[in-house]
Amino acid sequence: MTLSLLEGNEAVAWGAFDAGCRFFAGYPITPATTIYNTMLALLPPAGGIVLQGEDEIASLGYCLGASMAGYKAMTATSGPGISLYSEHISFAIASEIPVVIVDVQRLGPSTGYATKGADGDVQFLRWSNSGGAPAIVLAPVDAADCYTLTMQAFNLAETYRCPVFLASSKEIGQTRESLDLSALKRPPLQERSMQPAESEYLPFRPAPGGQVPYFAPIGGRVLSRQTSSTHGENGYITADPKEVQALVERLDRKLTGAVESFSYHRLWPAPGGETLLITYGVTSRAARHACRELAAGGRPVAHLVLKTLWPVPEELLRAAAADYARVLVVEANLGQYVREVQRVLPQKQVEFFGRMDGKLISPAEIKEAVRA
Amino acid sequence: MPEKTLLNHSRPPIFCPGCSHDQVLRSLDKAFLNLGLAGHQICMVSDIGCSGFFDVFFNTHAMHGVHGRALTYAAGIKLCQPELNVVVTMGDGGLGIGAAHVIAACRRNLDLTLLVLNNYNFGMTGGQYSATTPNEAVVGSGFLNKLDKPLDLPALAAAAGAPFVCRCSTYQKDLTETLERAITYKGFSVVEIHGICPGRFTKRNKITPQSIAQDLAAKEQVCGEVAANQRQEYGLAYGREAAAQPALPRPLGIEPLCQAPQQTRQEVVILGAAGQRIITAGEVLALAGLAAGLHASQKNEYNVTVLRGPSISDLILSPEPIAYNGAQRPSVVIALSHEGVERRRGGFAGLGPEVLILQAPGVELPPSAGRVLAMDFKGMGIKAADWALASLAVLARQNQVLNQQMLVAALEARFQDKTLAAVKETLARVAS
Ligand code: SF4
């Protein structure tokens, strides 16, 4: 085992690079800037492109253009920048443009505090588009996840033609950790399915047997048509209620109907225990400590670490919680994801513990919340 | 044999009768044909508003997005498909809301063609005033347009670095030729095309092709290359610069070469101030851990200001993979500045006698049960900026957390050449 020292943000950049990302545009913002720095060192020498946008809106706009031209593209920001991304997130969702968006969350609301962490954006990421269509959000726990989940994010963006968020945080992105990058398991790469030659191209007709349309790059031989307007399968603006309903239902179904195939997680059951602890992000690390200590003290607690937050992996939640009467959700915010858990598990006693003051939630606090 | 039109037969133009956009559309089509371009060699990128239909009316690649941002998609497309002719259409509304992108595009000089269809108002939403509405016009924004000075786009574009700028009228005879020049120009070209919006603007304002011609004649005549802004096109320049960049090597691991003095989880907190190279020292300590085959974590805390305020690094070295990486039970606290100590003042009371506290000159410590070792850095002739690294040398001498071999391996991994020699020289003073 040969370890190197890597920030979560650097691991994101390497994951993107190894996933075939060759376009990055971003605007400097703490605590996400080291992703931009690393991409700038990585891509241009490898024939890729990195731009510093004049603002965050432009940064994501550049990525959408590049993605439509056939490139795998990524951008990275933090809370204030995610707010500015919103209009282009809507575009990417509505118009099925693959892109990976890293949110290295910092303490909010608003500009908050740039060098403090929190998980305050997890509902925002889900609902950041006008129209309310679903998005995919993955949440890393450590630098190793930053690498692997970034690769998964590209696979999902390509497969489902949608933006995929990585909900990192200052506490993961800017923490240096020992890591053996070469030993991490790399998921096989997936590419968007391309329009077969010689057939009529309808840019938004789902490919046979699936929910996702074929892709034809802007600049290829086949004319590609892209629009942020409500569109029919032919890519032209439409207000036809049938066509519109078919589109928005498909945007929903293609993700919510598939989430069981990408419900990334870790589960430590506790046979005989009465409580299931649910965490995501950096809080999961304190929770691991707490669970070990609780088990050593004769009180085993089951622990589910969610790495896919959206769409809500409902089957997974039901299966994981089946054997426990009580579910405790711990989050670095005032209780965002617990709402989903309560919705999915109405017959369980679902409790919440959390804080959003810029300090890590500690194992001691979690133990106390479990014992409460 | 080229097609006679690139206009989209299945989507005929639907502009209001007499709309200047219709004439620009047909001129642009002619320009494409005169240049011998096929549909797949062109991408129309359109903005919001009535000019936002241009992509629909052409049989070319097409991208239509949100208001003011068309230039951003166009840039992404062009960088990835350099052979493609990318033409952006926007109105005076898009110019206003997307001004930051217009300026960025002028400064960048990517080979795009921007057509701003200026009809002095927001047609689609009811004739509100835009960035170019004359003060004397009567529009849908009450008195507001009397107050804002209309924007002179050609002057703005030239000042922002656009190498090809043109102000022209929809109705001038050489519009097609002008568009051809703009499209073939190798670099960013901006064409402001004045025209009439009968749907909204001429309802309350008398303008005609003749009056537009007179207005333009009274303004500075600009149509062509801006001599001061001639330079290499961005895509070509980017390729040249990128080719000269060294590749980033994959992160190299450190081979374990010895055992750490302690085989349990060790937490070290470095309490310093900005400018004391706290983060660098933390990284060296983490690397030293790797040299002993340990897992390592480094969490940093500092204010948003760069050269002021506390700078704190929390280090953990552990034979086990590290889950929680907040400070719990430090074995060593390195107190290097007042600011750093203040930030963590609350933690001192809980420190037990097993905790080693390294105290730098002039730093007052809150009461604690920890074992204090005052470091005479001044006597050793070590500057404050090196105290953090020097503290690691002190720890190594004590065989606490790290040893000399780990420290040297870490320094050699972190520094090269002259810097490495200088750091080693400084740290040698600690040993003496
Ligand atoms: S509203 Fe004005 S700009 Fe729009 S189509 Fe009608 S005339 Fe043309």
Side-chain angles (χ1 to χ4, degrees), chain A residues 294-316:
Chain A
L294 284 163
R299 180 157 181 184
V301 169
H303 185 196
L304 173 64
V305 176
L306 291 175
K307 299 190 181 183
T308 298
L309 295 182
W310 304 100
V312 176
E314 301 190 3
E315 294 288 318
L316 168 67

Side-chain angles (χ1 to χ4, degrees), chain A residues 1-6 14 17-18 23 30 38 40-42 44-45 48-52 54-55 57-58 61-62 64-66 68-69 71 87-88 91 97 113-116 147 170-171 174-178 181 186 217-229 234 236-237 282 285-286 288-289 292-293 360-364, chain B residues 8 10-11 39-40 43 48 53 55-67 69 71-77 79-81 84 100-101 104 108 234 238 242-243 245-256 265 279 283 286-287 290 293-304 321-326 328-329 343:
Chain A
M1 180 182 68
T2 307
L3 297 172
S4 46
L5 198 60
L6 229 60
W14 281 103
F17 185 75
D18 290 343
F23 191 98
T30 306
T38 312
L40 185 55
L42 263 173
I49 295 157
V50 172
L51 286 185
Q52 177 172 315
E54 55 273 26
D55 56 32
I57 300 174
Y62 294 134
L64 299 189
M68 282 311 299
Y71 274 53
E87 64 181 52
H88 278 151
F91 186 10
I97 308 175
Y113 203 93
T115 55
K116 297 278 181 183
Y147 178 80
K170 183 267 165 189
E171 296 292 0
Q174 288 206 312
T175 297
R176 287 200 183 102
E177 293 196 82
S178 47
L181 205 55
R186 295 189 198 184
I218 286 179
R221 291 297 300 192
V222 176
L223 292 186
S224 184
R225 188 162 281 288
Q226 181 54 280
T227 178
S228 56
S229 302
N234 57 16
Y236 290 114
I237 181 168
V282 75
R285 304 172 66 145
R288 276 322 299 142
H289 263 249
R292 274 188 220 132
E293 289 174 15
L360 284 178
I361 294 173
S362 71
Chain B
N8 193 346
S10 66
R11 301 278 147 166
H40 71 272
C43 182
I48 291 286
F53 284 114
D55 65 295
V56 170
F57 300 146
F58 277 105
N59 243 332
T60 60
H61 291 290
M63 187 154 174
H64 167 81
V66 299
H67 199 16
R69 321 299 174 204
L71 279 169
T72 68
Y73 320 133
I77 292 167
L79 282 164
C80 298
Q81 299 278 2
L84 199 60
H101 314 308
R108 183 177 292 128
Y234 186 84
Y238 197 102
Q245 301 299 310
L248 183 70
R250 291 193 83 85
L252 270 185
I254 297 190
E255 292 290 342
R265 175 172 165 131
I279 315 272
E283 186 182 354
L287 291 168
L290 304 195
L294 299 174
H295 296 269
S297 156
Q298 180 190 13
K299 243 166 67 70
N300 302 312
E301 180 181 341
Y302 46 87
N303 283 1
V304 285
I322 297 161
Y324 181 62
N325 61 0
Q328 286 186 299
R329 275 182 294 275
R343 176 60 64 91

Side-chain angles (χ1 to χ4, degrees), chain A residues 159-224:
Chain A
T159 304
Y160 297 103
R161 284 191 54 179
C162 61
V164 177
F165 294 95
L166 196 73
S168 180
S169 91
K170 183 267 165 189
E171 296 292 0
I172 300 165
Q174 288 206 312
T175 297
R176 287 200 183 102
E177 293 196 82
S178 47
L179 182 66
D180 186 353
L181 205 55
S182 59
L184 292 179
K185 212 170 148 224
R186 295 189 198 184
L189 294 190
Q190 277 147 31
E191 312 293 336
R192 53 192 95 162
S193 0
M194 305 299 270
Q195 161 73 8
E198 308 303 330
S199 59
E200 190 203 6
Y201 184 46
L202 290 170
F204 294 100
R205 168 177 291 179
Q211 302 291 338
V212 183
Y214 286 129
F215 181 81
I218 286 179
R221 291 297 300 192
V222 176
L223 292 186
S224 184

Side-chain angles (χ1 to χ4, degrees), chain B residues 269 271 301 310 312 333 337-351 357 363-368:
Chain B
V269 185
L271 304 173
E301 180 181 341
I312 293 174
V333 174
S337 90
H338 173 70
E339 294 100 313
V341 169
E342 270 311 299
R343 176 60 64 91
R344 294 284 175 90
R345 170 169 281 276
F348 277 82
L351 300 179
I357 304 176
V363 177
E364 276 181 43
L365 297 177
S368 81

Side-chain angles (χ1 to χ4, degrees), chain B residues 126-146:
Chain B
Q128 291 79 11
Y129 86 125
S130 73
T132 65
T133 307
N135 291 134
E136 60 280 7
V138 181
V139 290
S141 305
F143 63 88
L144 297 177
N145 67 291
K146 290 186 196 166

